[in-house]
Amino acid sequence: MRVLVTGGAGYIGSVAATILIERGYEVSILDDLSTGHTELLTPGAKFINGSLLEKATVLSALEGVEAVIHFGGKSLVGESVQKPEIYWNTNVNGTRILLEAMREKGISKIVFSSTAATYGQPKSIPITEDSQTKPTNPYGASKLAVDYMLTSEAIAHNLGAISLRYFNVAGAYQAKSGWLTENHNPETHLIPNVLKATSDNPLKIFGADWPTEDKTCIRDYVHVIDLIDAHIMALDKLEPGKHEIINLGCGTGYSVKQVMDAAKAAVGHQIPSVIADRRAGDPAVLIADISKAKSFLGWSPTRDLQVMVFDTWQSQNASNK
Ligand code: UDP
């Protein structure tokens, strides 16, 4: 079976494309390389360099395809506040064009990369799929709009869809061609920043006055390999006319200080850090309820925080050589 991976030159999409090929799927990748990297492209995958906004390109990328895993889109919260129009265009309009092209081609299976940002500030923890969705930024709002789009497309046109709502994705994958890892510019994510911290450029801890046990923010981290396993399991669970929404995390929270301790164990020295102001829009605690992922997909995460930090550290060392 051939799968189209949109956004396959990005961090998560490249791990998906690689693992799909390793498991015997045929893979096409559609990516406009606006934030992706050619060195992350999977050998053996068919690459189409183009945008989700060009329908003719999307139609040609769908050639011979049976299912789509849709990662392509914009994912920076701060940028989405500054330039919301990009998020409504790429994430919402891009997906609308993709669904239109899929309908024309008679392709009715899609797994969508959604996000915990659709929930906004949670009223209670852990967050279930039935929790209130009230995004606090255009990024989360655009992903929520796509979730609604998929629900209506499933009902009206018999699409089989699953939205996977990621919490904090971390870790790296060592493919035969090299490490597939996070490489954002600027990097905003905690784990790569912890590992890059030096005494000249210490980690900024965004707030040490939160209502948590050690006063730093708590997040739910999930390894990118576990995350992709869930996508591949989701491909087998798609049913025409149904749209399911499923959280993906590890179901446990780790504080910024606990992440720093895990990094200390990996690198063998204390992580240089300074306390900085809280970052606008950060909730104190985000933890997923992953019981639906377990019951519906039969999925459970298997790699803990120490593995996520260690893999990221190894991948950073390899790319610095
Ligand atoms: N964080 C931090 N310093 C950094 C980056 C992140 O203290 O340099 C904190 C951030 O405030 C949040 C947690 O680490 O509580 C995870 O942030 P990240 O940006 O990795 O993911 P988010 O939860 O925002 O999607």
Side-chain angles (χ1 to χ4, degrees):
M1 144 161 156
R2 179 170 287 275
V3 178
L4 173 65
V5 176
T6 71
Y11 161 51
I12 302 175
S14 67
V15 175
T18 302
I19 294 178
L20 283 165
I21 294 245
E22 286 172 0
R23 300 213 184 144
Y25 291 85
E26 293 178 305
V27 172
S28 300
I29 292 172
L30 174 66
D31 200 300
D32 64 3
L33 300 177
S34 56
T35 49
H37 307 269
T38 42
E39 62 273 20
L40 293 185
L41 285 170
T42 309
K46 177 176 162 193
F47 174 52
I48 298 96
N49 184 350
S51 163
L52 285 162
L53 297 168
E54 300 151 6
K55 187 159 166 204
T57 309
V58 178
L59 281 167
S60 75
L62 287 170
E63 213 52 60
V65 163
E66 211 175 295
V68 176
I69 307 186
H70 181 30
F71 300 99
K74 299 285 174 190
S75 62
L76 297 176
V77 168
E79 182 187 58
S80 80
V81 176
Q82 304 297 323
K83 297 175 186 165
E85 64 280 10
I86 299 180
Y87 284 70
W88 295 113
N89 198 29
T90 307
N91 293 359
V92 179
N93 202 26
T95 306
R96 193 189 59 77
I97 291 168
L98 173 66
L99 291 184
E100 221 170 80
M102 286 173 66
R103 216 183 301 135
E104 279 174 32
K105 288 268 183 192
I107 300 164
S108 59
K109 293 179 174 184
I110 189 167
V111 176
F112 174 57
S113 166
S114 187
T115 168
T118 52
Y119 297 113
Q121 295 273 356
K123 285 199 170 142
S124 61
I125 295 291
I127 301 172
T128 72
E129 293 81 0
D130 296 327
S131 296
Q132 168 183 269
T133 43
K134 207 173 170 199
T136 51
N137 53 63
Y139 163 63
S142 69
K143 289 284 187 171
L144 183 60
V146 172
D147 284 343
Y148 280 120
M149 201 190 296
L150 292 173
T151 302
S152 55
E153 185 80 11
I155 294 167
H157 301 299
N158 235 18
L159 181 73
I162 296 181
S163 291
L164 297 173
R165 288 194 174 153
Y166 314 161
F167 282 65
N168 291 58
V169 185
Y173 182 59
Q174 190 171 23
K176 288 193 198 86
S177 53
W179 279 97
L180 305 173
T181 191
E182 280 191 84
N183 183 7
H184 303 110
N185 186 19
E187 184 59 67
T188 59
H189 287 148
L190 179 64
I191 292 178
N193 281 349
V194 165
L195 293 165
K196 280 180 191 147
T198 60
S199 43
D200 288 340
N201 196 5
L203 174 80
K204 286 192 183 129
I205 300 175
F206 295 142
D209 57 352
W210 292 94
T212 61
E213 205 172 305
D214 68 16
K215 308 284 179 216
T216 63
C217 278
I218 293 177
R219 294 289 181 273
D220 181 334
Y221 296 87
V222 57
H223 197 295
V224 65
I225 302 174
D226 285 329
L227 187 94
I228 297 311
D229 278 340
H231 289 68
I232 297 174
M233 289 168 155
L235 282 177
D236 286 337
K237 300 282 177 186
L238 293 167
E239 261 189 66
K242 293 219 165 121
H243 176 217
E244 298 287 346
I245 294 177
I246 301 174
N247 287 340
L248 293 181
C250 69
T252 309
Y254 297 101
S255 71
V256 172
K257 283 196 178 149
Q258 283 174 312
V259 171
M260 290 169 66
D261 286 342
K264 181 182 162 197
V267 305
H269 59 75
Q270 201 80 36
I271 305 301
S273 67
V274 292
I275 309 287
D277 288 342
R278 289 182 177 191
R279 190 171 62 177
D282 264 345
V285 182
L286 290 177
I287 300 173
D289 181 317
I290 56 167
S291 35
K292 186 166 176 189
K294 289 182 177 167
S295 61
F296 189 88
L297 298 175
W299 173 86
S300 279
T302 59
R303 293 162 183 86
D304 64 14
L305 180 67
Q306 200 59 59
V307 177
M308 293 180 230
V309 170
F310 190 69
D311 287 354
T312 310
W313 183 58
Q314 279 198 302
S315 68
Q316 283 190 356
N317 282 345
S319 58
N320 289 338
K321 274 183 193 145

